[in-house]
Amino acid sequence: MPILRQIAQMGHPVLRGMAGTISNPADPAVQTLIDDMLATVADANGIGIAAPQLFEPLSLIIVASRPNPRYPHAPEMLPTAMINPEILWVSDEKEKGWEGCLSIPGLRGLVPRHTRIGVRYLTRCGELREEEYRDFLARVFQHEFDHVSGMLFIDRVESTLELMTEKEYVRRQ
Ligand code: ZN
């Protein structure tokens, strides 16, 4: 049975380090971690999570976009574990959009992201995949990808005037 794990909060050094590459996706510890990440992100109404957020400094992210109370307009997709994710190319075009983070509860920020990206990752079965994401999914991927190199969305916010509490954000929807 998957375990709901504690989510590291901003200020904890695990969120600021470089995550290590996973050499064997079939490792039972990696498979268990993926199951726990899937359960934890669903329980927290997240649309993505990265292993460092569960105190595991590994290059592993989950993208799990679906409409939920925190992101009512998120597109539906099958939750996907991505091992050793890479960004292969990015569009010149960027767009600002509001983001939140399970490691920074109560805060939203307006973050510029590339609107289209090409990515590569290993599936949990060890298959190499290349995909193209645009708009909201491109944003979620870039947010989670930042976590494996120790970056948080607040690092990319261009002005403190573009920060808002979750409560105020919800009030404006
Ligand atoms: Zn985050």
Side-chain angles (χ1 to χ4, degrees), residues 73-147:
H73 307 297
E76 187 88 44
M77 70 174 280
L78 218 56
T80 306
M82 303 177 182
I83 296 168
N84 301 334
E86 297 168 83
I87 294 182
L88 303 174
W89 56 265
V90 298
S91 61
D92 290 336
E93 191 195 357
K94 286 186 170 187
E95 197 173 72
K96 283 184 179 179
W98 289 98
E99 295 185 16
C101 180
L102 296 174
S103 294
I104 315 173
L107 195 68
R108 296 275 182 145
L110 200 52
V111 184
R113 299 284 188 190
H114 301 284
T115 53
R116 290 173 59 225
I117 55 172
V119 309
R120 180 159 64 199
Y121 60 89
L122 288 171
T123 67
R124 69 181 299 174
C125 305
E127 288 165 15
L128 195 62
R129 285 266 164 84
E130 284 189 13
E131 312 264 12
E132 190 179 320
Y133 295 121
R134 56 179 65 223
D135 304 324
F136 192 78
L137 289 183
R139 174 172 300 282
V140 177
F141 186 98
Q142 288 169 86
H143 176 114
E144 302 312 332
F145 183 76
D146 274 353
H147 276 300

